[in-house]
């Protein structure tokens, strides 16, 4: 039977060496199998620390982290890293191969995957990110968005159960960002995989099933994107922003236009406005 | 500082098999004191363009006039130093360029290097710290002990203390949280007004271009594709989409509002409050009274 929680943080605290403050203070949450969770928060709120704890790049001073009911520790760390793949912010810092195909193969060689299986996985994962035409290209000649797509392919090839995108679109232009979000969305149509996106981009948050809001090393709120953006004023108080549609809805509400659902997209808001208009 | 590009082209690795034309026949004029946003996709020539503004690159063809300074292909390197004193550039992720052992030394490095008197530098320091919101308690600490957001502020302070006439910003808020982004952008705008400075902002954010700039230049494949007043440029949805750019969200929303309600709302930089009022009035108008 599949476990209820894919990843579970129980009362996790973490402090960086030479730092007086705790980066995380007694943090508990879980991520379900096949769930897409966005983690947002101000700079220094502990978002990236969580990502690094999830695949054992850091280990907590207090509390426990389970991946599929397996506690992360020195003995399990290599098994955990097979399950949890990570894509980082800077597209230029995550290439090891001299060609796209070498780069995707690198992770598989590390995990000792047999050659025939490797070939299948490489072509599958490059196809999934729409980069199959670039197998023999040199990574440094690709655009930022293409590089990040290859990074995702390298992670996918290892067949992880969870992919973490740690501000993976921050250095990309809007076109590159969209291509990454669509790629992840597409991959999830084909196979079961949990996704954690750590981001400042509000449009990325809308893709998620659930959002965890971090503030000063604590979990400040958990809920659907709709529930999170309902807390518009409080979010601004902790240094976060809300999408255009949320802000406009707030102003309209103040003017007596009562919107019942919290609209998230242009279409949501327009539909509600039109309904109000036609029933007048 | 008035800036004029006159048929500027830049070719990388000219006369080799790797020859690449990054700028092609680009001409425009920026008047002194204006705030200009440069927009375009990766590979559109934006970065090549701004590297000409402080003489890191020289045009392969054409001529650039900045204030009294003229930059052409045959300009000597030692003359270019005069230009660099007047042009401050905040590159992408400027915190990667911090190197000194203390924050104070790092901030002062630029003007010292250009021979500004130590007393003058010391006079400028408090104001610069105030602008970027850094406490003077931090001055003796290593810049590498700071958070990413604070490191960014130190790097920016190191450019501001030069008191440049022209400030060039290459995506200065990438990677910052929303509050940090707004604080930094508002600070540049305030200084732009106070110092009567010319500011050039390279950005992917149509929202920032709309909010802060009084002129936008859209680059595509090394050529100047469009330029003009931000609102007028951003109204041209089809032309922008042709080069893979989106219109700012507010204009996008008003367009679909017009399609649904058959009532145009003219955008001329209204606040969210003002827009909400116009929208509320139309929605409350109801069907019957039309």
């Amino acid at each position: 039977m599949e476990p209820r929680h894919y990843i579970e943080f129980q009362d996790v605290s973490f402090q960086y060496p030479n730092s007086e403050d705790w980066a995380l203070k007694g943090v508990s949450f879980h991520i379900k199998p096949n769930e897409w969770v966005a983690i947002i928060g101000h700079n220094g709120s502990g978002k990236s620390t969580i990502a690094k704890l999830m695949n054992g790049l850091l280990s907590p001073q207090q509390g426990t982290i389970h991946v599929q009911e397996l506690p992360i520790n020195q003995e399990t760390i290599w098994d955990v890293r097979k399950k949890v793949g990570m894509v980082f912010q800077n597209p230029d810092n995550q290439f090891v191969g001299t060609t796209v195909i070498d780069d995707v193969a690198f992770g598989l060689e590390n995990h000792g995957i047999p050659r025939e299986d490797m070939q299948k996985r490489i072509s599958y994962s490059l196809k999934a990110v729409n980069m199959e035409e670039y197998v023999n290209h040199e990574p440094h000649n690709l655009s930022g968005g293409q590089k990040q797509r290859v990074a995702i392919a390298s992670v996918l090839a290892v067949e992880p159960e969870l992919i973490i995108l740690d501000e993976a679109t921050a250095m990309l232009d809007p076109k590159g960002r969209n291509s990454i979000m669509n790629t992840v969305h597409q991959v999830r149509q084909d196979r079961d995989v949990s996704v954690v996106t750590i981001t400042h981009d509000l449009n990325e948050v809308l893709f998620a099933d659930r959002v965890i809001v971090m503030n000063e090393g604590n979990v400040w709120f958990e809920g659907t994107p709709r529930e999170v953006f309902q807390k518009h004023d409080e979010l601004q108080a902790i240094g976060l922003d809300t999408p255009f549609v949320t802000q406009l809805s707030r102003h309209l509400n103040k003017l007596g236009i009562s919107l019942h659902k919290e609209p998230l997209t242009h279409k949501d808001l327009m539909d509600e406005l039109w309904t109000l208009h036609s029933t007048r | 500082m008035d800036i004029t590009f006159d048929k500027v082209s830049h070719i990388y690795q000219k006369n080799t098999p790797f020859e690449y034309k990054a700028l092609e026949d680009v001409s425009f004029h920026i008047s002194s004191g204006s705030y200009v946003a440069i927009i375009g996709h990766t590979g559109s020539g934006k970065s090549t363009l701004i590297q000409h503004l402080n003489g890191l690159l020289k045009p392969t063809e054409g001529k650039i006039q900045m204030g009294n300074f003229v930059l052409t292909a045959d300009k000597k390197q030692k003359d270019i130093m005069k230009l660099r004193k007047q042009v401050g550039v905040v590159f992408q992720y400027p915190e990667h360029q911090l190197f000194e052992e203390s924050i104070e030394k790092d901030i002062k490095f630029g003007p010292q290097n250009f021979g500004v008197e130590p007393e003058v530098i010391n006079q400028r320091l408090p104001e610069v710290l105030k602008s970027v919101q850094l406490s003077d308690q931090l001055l003796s600490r290593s810049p590498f002990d700071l958070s990413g957001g604070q490191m960014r502020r130190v790097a920016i302070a190191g450019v501001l203390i030069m008191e440049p006439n022209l400030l060039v910003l290459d995506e200065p808020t990438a990677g910052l949280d929303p509050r940090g982004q707004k604080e930094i952008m508002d600070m540049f705008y305030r200084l732009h007004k106070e110092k009567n400075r010319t500011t050039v902002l390279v950005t992917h954010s149509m929202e920032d271009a709309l909010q802060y700039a009084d002129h936008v230049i859209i680059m595509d494949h090394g050529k100047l594709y469009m330029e003009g007043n931000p609102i007028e440029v951003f109204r041209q949805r089809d032309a922008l989409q042709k080069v893979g750019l989106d219109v700012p969200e507010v204009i996008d929303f008003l367009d679909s509002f017009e399609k649904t309600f058959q009532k145009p709302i003219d955008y001329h930089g209204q606040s969210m409050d003002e827009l909400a009022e116009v929208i509320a009035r139309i929605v409350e108008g109801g069907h019957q009274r039309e």
Side-chain angles (χ1 to χ4, degrees):
Chain A
M1 204 187 87
E2 212 172 356
R4 230 157 24 94
H5 297 158
Y6 184 71
I7 282 203
E8 186 164 26
F9 274 53
Q10 285 168 316
D11 208 17
V12 170
S13 295
F14 180 83
Q15 190 174 29
Y16 284 96
N18 306 323
S19 168
E20 290 153 31
D21 301 322
W22 288 87
L24 294 181
K25 297 174 247 184
V27 167
S28 302
F29 66 87
H30 65 267
I31 292 176
K32 290 180 230 158
N34 207 20
E35 190 182 26
W36 184 330
V37 174
I39 304 182
I40 61 174
H42 58 83
N43 286 121
S45 61
K47 303 185 301 288
S48 289
T49 306
I50 288 180
K52 294 189 182 101
L53 288 164
M54 278 182 183
N55 76 345
L57 284 174
L58 297 173
S59 33
Q61 280 90 354
Q62 288 168 27
T64 51
I65 303 166
H66 286 83
V67 174
Q68 247 189 359
E69 298 181 342
L70 196 70
I72 303 184
N73 57 39
Q74 284 310 313
E75 279 125 57
T76 59
I77 195 160
W78 295 106
D79 291 325
V80 166
R81 288 193 187 152
K82 269 184 213 170
K83 296 170 188 285
V84 180
M86 197 148 156
V87 180
F88 295 96
Q89 185 182 104
N90 192 335
D92 292 319
N93 289 352
Q94 31 198 335
F95 278 103
V96 281
T98 49
T99 59
V100 165
I101 191 166
D102 281 353
D103 200 73
V104 180
F106 178 80
L108 297 173
E109 283 168 349
N110 261 351
H111 287 292
I113 309 289
R115 185 178 160 79
E116 304 80 68
D117 198 13
M118 252 171 79
Q119 284 170 329
K120 259 184 254 159
R121 289 194 191 192
I122 291 171
S123 69
Y124 162 79
S125 53
L126 283 174
K127 207 167 167 204
V129 301
N130 214 356
M131 287 294 288
E132 71 268 40
E133 285 163 30
Y134 292 84
V135 273
N136 292 317
H137 281 239
E138 294 173 33
H140 70 262
N141 285 331
L142 303 175
S143 74
Q146 289 173 329
K147 284 178 190 169
Q148 289 298 66
R149 265 148 59 199
V150 174
I152 292 175
S154 302
V155 168
L156 274 180
V158 184
E159 298 185 347
E161 290 153 358
L162 168 69
I163 299 176
I164 304 171
L165 301 169
D166 187 2
E167 297 196 42
T169 62
M171 295 177 86
L172 306 182
D173 61 26
K175 219 177 180 176
R177 287 182 189 194
N178 283 338
S179 83
I180 296 302
M181 283 298 112
N182 290 332
T183 298
V184 175
H185 193 72
Q186 197 56 49
V187 165
R188 271 168 44 99
Q189 309 285 320
D190 291 354
R191 49 174 295 201
D192 284 355
V193 62
S194 307
V195 175
V196 170
T197 44
I198 291 172
T199 185
H200 289 311
D201 188 308
L202 300 168
N203 293 318
E204 277 182 44
V205 174
L206 300 182
F207 278 89
D209 302 318
R210 202 155 55 90
V211 186
I212 296 175
V213 185
M214 295 297 298
N215 184 41
E216 294 178 355
N218 295 302
V219 175
W220 181 82
F221 187 74
E222 279 181 73
T224 62
R226 217 176 280 280
E227 287 162 350
V228 167
F229 291 133
Q230 263 164 4
K231 298 182 156 285
H232 172 81
D233 296 340
E234 293 156 84
L235 283 171
Q236 292 206 323
I238 61 166
L240 298 177
D241 211 351
T242 49
F244 170 83
V245 167
T246 309
Q247 294 183 24
L248 185 58
S249 307
R250 280 290 166 286
H251 286 283
L252 288 168
N253 266 323
K254 276 185 209 148
L255 296 169
I257 303 283
S258 48
L259 303 165
H260 298 292
K261 288 171 268 172
E262 174 75 36
L264 286 181
T265 62
H266 287 194
K267 190 175 177 303
D268 288 352
L269 178 55
M270 206 66 75
D271 287 351
E272 269 212 70
L273 289 176
W274 183 250
T275 309
L276 281 171
H277 179 71
S278 18
T279 51
R280 291 244 154 207
Chain B
M1 185 186 266
D2 278 302
I3 304 170
T4 307
F5 271 54
D6 186 10
K7 298 196 174 100
V8 172
S9 295
H10 189 93
I11 303 169
Y12 288 108
Q13 297 182 288
K14 202 179 175 180
N15 303 326
T16 74
F18 305 106
E19 185 172 301
Y20 175 67
K21 208 166 204 178
L23 285 183
E24 197 174 341
D25 207 16
V26 173
S27 300
F28 60 82
H29 176 76
I30 294 174
S31 2
S32 186
S34 48
Y35 194 127
V36 180
I38 300 182
I39 298 173
H41 269 295
T42 316
S44 63
K46 299 181 306 250
S47 299
T48 305
L49 193 160
I50 61 166
Q51 287 180 66
H52 284 79
L53 294 175
N54 74 342
L56 277 175
L57 294 176
K58 294 184 283 188
T60 325
E61 285 160 42
K63 187 176 91 172
I64 302 169
Q65 173 123 23
M66 280 177 279
N68 298 323
F69 191 90
V70 180
L71 186 65
T72 50
D74 51 7
K75 196 78 182 178
K76 286 199 185 70
Q77 204 60 34
K78 72 173 204 293
D79 295 327
I80 290 178
M81 293 308 274
K82 286 183 209 146
L83 175 69
R84 295 216 177 124
K85 265 189 200 179
Q86 301 180 54
V87 181
V89 184
V90 177
F91 286 102
Q92 276 182 40
Y93 296 87
E95 61 275 21
H96 294 171
Q97 298 170 39
L98 297 174
F99 69 102
E100 272 284 12
E101 58 187 20
S102 77
I103 291 169
E104 180 167 3
K105 280 187 180 170
D106 211 299
I107 295 176
K108 287 179 171 176
F109 177 81
Q112 263 167 9
N113 207 22
F114 279 110
V116 179
E117 295 295 321
E119 303 88 76
V120 178
I121 301 177
N122 284 331
Q123 268 167 15
R124 291 179 188 173
L125 187 62
E127 193 198 329
V128 166
L129 289 176
K130 199 171 146 229
S131 294
V132 299
Q133 297 177 32
L134 275 178
S135 151
D136 55 7
Q137 309 277 316
L138 293 172
L139 281 176
S140 59
R141 298 214 356 222
S142 161
F144 301 102
D145 287 346
L146 301 176
S147 71
Q150 282 178 314
M151 280 166 77
R152 177 84 48 104
R153 287 166 198 266
V154 172
I156 290 172
V159 175
L160 294 180
I161 201 164
M162 302 283 300
E163 301 211 326
N165 290 327
L166 168 65
L167 186 61
V168 181
L169 310 168
D170 189 0
E171 291 193 63
T173 62
L176 298 182
D177 60 25
R179 179 185 289 169
Q181 291 187 10
K182 189 169 182 330
E183 280 174 5
I184 298 275
M185 290 310 293
D186 285 348
M187 172 200 74
F188 283 130
Y189 190 68
R190 199 181 65 242
L191 293 175
H192 171 81
K193 291 284 174 204
E194 278 173 21
K195 306 268 177 187
N196 202 13
R197 185 174 273 154
T198 310
T199 306
V200 173
L201 167 73
V202 173
T203 183
H204 288 311
S205 162
M206 299 291 173
E207 273 64 35
D208 282 352
L210 191 60
Q211 189 176 354
Y212 300 105
D214 41 44
H215 190 83
V216 292
I217 291 176
I218 311 258
M219 296 293 297
D220 184 54
H221 288 103
K223 293 185 180 153
L224 188 144
Y225 179 70
M226 283 165 94
E227 67 167 326
N229 168 285
I231 294 173
E232 277 157 27
V233 167
F234 290 143
R235 275 201 191 118
Q236 301 175 52
R237 174 190 297 265
D238 295 342
L240 290 168
Q241 281 181 343
K242 221 163 144 187
V243 294
L245 296 173
D246 292 323
V247 299
E249 204 174 352
V250 55
I251 293 182
D252 197 31
F253 182 80
L254 294 179
D255 281 355
S256 52
F257 188 84
E258 180 178 345
K259 273 196 202 107
T260 312
F261 284 81
Q262 299 297 320
K263 295 238 165 111
I265 298 174
D266 181 50
Y267 183 73
H268 47 268
Q270 298 96 319
S271 69
M272 197 75 94
D273 257 334
E274 292 162 340
L275 285 176
E277 267 179 46
V278 181
I279 292 170
R281 218 176 299 139
I282 296 175
V283 170
E284 284 175 335
H287 247 7
Q288 293 79 9
R289 270 173 276 167
E290 270 176 34

